[in-house]
Amino acid sequence: MAAPVNTVSRWCLSSWRTTRLVCQRLHQTQASGKETHFGFQTVPEEEKGGRGKELMSPQCSVSGVYHVFESVAKKYDVMNDSMSLGIHRLWKDWLVRHMNPTPGTQLLDVAGGTGSYSQEQEGSLVGSKAVICDINKEMLKVGKEKSLRLGYSEGLSWVAGDAEELPFADEKFDVYTIAFGIRNVTHIETALEEAYRVLKPGGRFLCLEFSKVNNPLLARLYDLYSFQVIPVLGEIIAGDWKSYQYLVESIRRFPPQEEFKEMIEDAGFFKVTYHNLTSGVVAVHSGFKL
């Protein structure tokens, strides 16, 4: 008996996307000399990840993304509260309410860092299984220690992995979330392809990320606060001015809401929408794998 048309179509679409992803990675590997942004600086693509080493560009010495988060891991949660005046907790709470997980939901939290998002929303995730995946082992170490200390370990697992090459089988998760992490990957398109791959049919992609402020007056105040205050807080609290200067710059380099929406659609997601929070300081993008 012939397979149903929708099953055949899904298989063909999956095969095409797998082939495209393999070719894309091969091209990225072979493309010597390609450059990308690291905050406002331009660096070779292979240097952006950094993996804990000091990197040299013609302009100056910069630390890769890996080193940025390794450097701030122990003060990461404190800095999030200080930089946002605690508002980031309300943004994450909105994300989970929008997700509306049910018991048995298989959740993948990519770039989950110290796991604060999953830990803070533990009451909303009762009965669900959450995998916290991050490329930075120091962030995961801090998260696991905090989770055990607070008694939030039930239903949580921790996996070291790259958003551009997730260590999971196809169609494994019901929900994929990434909060304040996708702007830090070198190839956003590849990370979106990977999100599509690991989601089950009917699965949902949710991304909480800094975006473009749509109120001119607030935008000016936000820029002033970002560039004049946040790096100073980074130096005072975490002893690291440069890492927080990078974080501020990386926000300005991230695509605005409509452009990012199109990127999500290009990765294969349907019914892609976004919702601005705090006048677009952050936006939550949502899409489905059909």
Side-chain angles (χ1 to χ4, degrees):
M1 181 181 293
V5 174
N6 63 336
T7 302
V8 174
S9 300
R10 186 182 300 144
W11 180 86
C12 291
L13 183 61
S14 176
S15 299
W16 173 76
R17 294 196 184 287
T18 300
T19 302
R20 188 172 75 166
L21 184 58
V22 169
C23 292
Q24 185 181 45
R25 285 178 181 162
L26 181 62
H27 174 72
Q28 290 166 0
T29 301
Q30 294 175 338
S32 175
K34 289 191 69 177
E35 294 181 326
T36 187
H37 62 82
F38 183 85
F40 288 162
Q41 301 176 35
T42 299
V43 298
E45 282 188 347
E46 62 270 19
E47 291 189 358
K48 182 172 180 178
R51 300 303 180 90
K53 60 185 179 182
E54 195 73 7
L55 304 168
M56 299 300 296
S57 71
Q59 293 80 16
C60 61
S61 173
V62 297
S63 298
V65 171
Y66 188 97
H67 180 70
V68 166
F69 287 96
E70 185 178 55
S71 172
V72 303
K74 293 181 179 179
K75 297 290 186 179
Y76 183 75
D77 294 333
V78 175
M79 274 299 299
N80 280 346
D81 283 329
S82 300
M83 287 188 298
S84 71
L85 305 178
I87 297 174
H88 75 103
R89 297 178 183 270
L90 300 178
W91 294 333
K92 293 171 183 175
D93 181 64
W94 192 97
L95 174 67
V96 173
R97 284 190 282 109
H98 194 56
M99 182 200 312
N100 192 26
T102 57
T105 296
Q106 298 289 324
L107 167 68
L108 175 62
D109 181 20
V110 175
T114 61
S116 59
Y117 152 64
S118 298
Q119 292 164 3
E120 290 165 10
Q121 306 301 330
E122 187 192 31
S124 302
L125 300 175
V126 172
S128 302
K129 300 290 184 181
V131 177
I132 300 166
C133 179
D134 198 285
I135 196 172
N136 194 293
K137 294 181 179 180
E138 185 62 27
M139 294 281 282
L140 290 173
K141 177 183 175 183
V142 171
K144 282 189 282 188
E145 290 173 352
K146 177 184 175 183
S147 181
L148 290 171
R149 186 172 67 252
L150 298 178
Y152 290 161
S153 58
E154 185 176 355
L156 297 181
S157 57
W158 308 76
V159 177
D162 187 342
E164 296 186 32
E165 194 169 359
L166 294 170
F168 305 110
D170 295 356
E171 300 184 353
K172 181 177 176 64
F173 298 97
D174 300 300
V175 180
Y176 171 113
T177 64
I178 182 165
F180 305 118
I182 201 162
R183 75 181 187 280
N184 295 312
V185 303
T186 303
H187 305 101
I188 294 175
E189 297 88 349
T190 304
L192 292 172
E193 293 273 5
E194 278 289 85
Y196 187 92
R197 179 183 67 80
V198 301
L199 279 171
K200 300 174 183 178
R204 190 175 192 182
F205 168 86
L206 285 165
C207 176
L208 171 63
E209 187 55 87
F210 291 106
S211 201
K212 185 174 179 61
V213 178
N214 53 31
N215 180 303
L217 176 59
L218 179 59
R220 288 195 292 271
L221 294 174
Y222 180 52
D223 280 345
L224 181 65
Y225 177 76
S226 296
F227 288 99
Q228 301 299 323
V229 178
I230 288 179
V232 175
L233 287 175
E235 180 65 30
I236 293 172
I237 296 174
D240 193 335
W241 177 295
K242 289 184 179 179
S243 291
Y244 286 94
Q245 181 70 26
Y246 157 74
L247 294 177
V248 169
E249 293 175 0
S250 71
I251 293 169
R252 301 314 188 277
R253 296 297 300 264
F254 190 70
Q257 290 89 326
E258 279 293 330
E259 184 178 340
F260 186 48
K261 175 178 179 287
E262 292 176 4
M263 294 174 71
I264 298 169
E265 291 171 336
D266 288 343
F269 290 98
F270 291 88
K271 297 184 178 179
V272 179
T273 60
Y274 64 85
H275 187 95
N276 288 324
L277 301 177
T278 318
S279 297
V281 171
V282 301
V284 175
H285 282 74
S286 169
F288 291 87
K289 177 178 178 177
L290 302 181

